[in-house]
Amino acid sequence: MDSPQHTAFYRFTPLADPAAAAATLRELAQGLLGAIVVAGEGVSGALAGSKETVAAFEAALQQAEVLGGALRGMAFKHSACAVAPFGRLKVSVKPEIVALGLPDEHGAVDEHDASHLAPAAWRELLARGDAVVLDNRNHFEYRLGHFRGAVDPQVHNFRDFTAYVEARAPAWREAGRPVAMYCTGGIRCDKTAPWLRSLGLQVFQLEGGILNFFDRMPDAGRDWLGECFVFDRRIALDTALRETATGIEQVYDPALPDEAWRLKRARQLDVSSGDDPG
């Protein structure tokens, strides 16, 4: 039997009836395992199954009759799996597809604006050396791996990121330093970029996130140190998008309260369930 394929995707698009959208997605995802989150602001998901089933699901999502065509042209990020990364299918309706504790007043999300840099352009920006390279993930994810020269905002809960940026934005503005921001798949950056601009910052973001950089840059190890954490049973990937031998005990620090509960939950599930595809 072929190894399963992992697909990750998201789309910010207004959904008038998230519950109905979730029911549609649940039906289309039959035969796959993983997690989909639906909210009034859009859809985010991470699923796995046979290549044929994944391809059929992706094609179905983009049909005009599915959610009024709202998901047409959506990007999918693929990676291989040695074993099934999920144990069940879960489709949830939540207030947001990714909760980051941002202030209510900020601009609209635009997944395709000029601030998105393709991997090669991202590398060029990093080489300039004038940008604040900002890791928009949790502290334990940064600790496991990050771009060379990136700063760690020490995110232990979702409001830590905003506090970190607000405290430093005036100095970054005064120095004329742009912010080059990245996350695993791009969703956190897409949602936070308008807020950073509202603080008067020039913002760039890595298109498609770390996973896209690994996929498009065969020599990604030039720019990346360590591994990339993923919210499923694979735990971590190397720069060739291959599963590593890293286990949950090596990811979470039980001395830190926010990581202690993550470790406890992961132990209870044996592995991370992947309920947070963001």
Side-chain angles (χ1 to χ4, degrees):
M1 182 177 178
D2 293 337
S3 298
Q5 183 180 61
H6 184 284
T7 180
F9 54 91
Y10 69 91
R11 167 65 59 85
F12 284 97
T13 184
L15 297 176
D17 190 343
T24 297
L25 294 172
R26 189 176 295 110
E27 181 178 349
L28 293 177
Q30 292 305 305
L32 298 171
L33 301 176
I36 301 175
V37 176
V38 184
E41 66 180 359
V43 174
S44 173
L47 300 171
S50 70
K51 289 184 178 180
E52 294 76 15
T53 308
V54 167
F57 169 78
E58 293 174 350
L61 278 191
Q62 299 185 75
Q63 297 302 308
E65 64 270 17
V66 174
L67 307 188
L71 304 184
R72 296 182 98 171
M74 184 166 61
F76 298 92
K77 288 176 275 294
H78 297 144
S79 53
C81 312
V83 296
F86 304 106
R88 59 175 175 163
L89 173 64
K90 182 178 181 181
V91 182
S92 306
V93 177
K94 297 186 177 181
E96 302 173 86
I97 57 174
V98 55
L100 299 175
L102 295 173
D104 291 335
E105 297 300 325
H106 55 83
V109 172
D110 185 343
E111 298 174 40
H112 306 290
D113 65 26
S115 73
H116 293 74
L117 299 183
W122 174 263
R123 171 175 281 173
E124 292 175 2
L125 177 62
L126 299 189
R128 278 174 25 193
D130 63 333
V132 177
V133 184
L134 188 61
D135 192 305
N136 192 347
R137 301 177 299 155
N138 295 295
H139 173 60
F140 68 86
E141 296 176 81
Y142 176 93
R143 194 171 60 228
L144 189 65
H146 53 269
F147 279 102
R148 297 177 189 274
V151 296
D152 177 15
Q154 295 286 321
V155 175
H156 295 278
N157 67 71
F158 59 72
R159 295 190 185 279
D160 290 340
F161 182 82
T162 55
Y164 182 93
V165 171
E166 285 175 332
R168 292 160 179 78
W172 295 343
R173 286 197 307 268
E174 185 176 351
R177 300 188 67 188
V179 173
M181 182 170 53
Y182 68 90
C183 53
T184 308
I187 186 170
R188 295 172 69 98
C189 292
D190 271 338
K191 189 159 183 179
T192 53
W195 173 69
L196 264 71
R197 291 192 195 96
S198 76
L199 301 177
L201 296 169
Q202 182 183 20
V203 180
F204 296 101
Q205 50 188 311
L206 175 56
E207 184 178 59
I210 300 162
L211 298 181
N212 188 46
F213 189 86
F214 287 179
D215 183 52
R216 299 297 180 89
M217 306 296 277
D219 57 348
R222 281 176 47 191
D223 308 279
W224 184 265
L225 298 171
E227 303 169 3
C228 179
F229 180 84
V230 289
F231 284 90
D232 59 56
R233 290 178 174 175
R234 297 172 298 170
I235 309 298
L237 304 179
D238 64 17
T239 56
L241 294 173
R242 298 172 301 208
E243 297 170 48
T244 71
T246 297
I248 56 173
E249 306 288 342
Q250 298 164 272
V251 171
Y252 303 117
D253 183 353
L256 300 172
D258 66 298
E259 296 186 29
W261 76 261
R262 289 179 183 273
L263 179 58
K264 180 180 179 181
R265 182 182 65 174
R267 284 170 173 163
Q268 288 172 342
L269 296 170
D270 188 31
V271 285
S272 177
S273 68
D275 284 350
D276 179 7

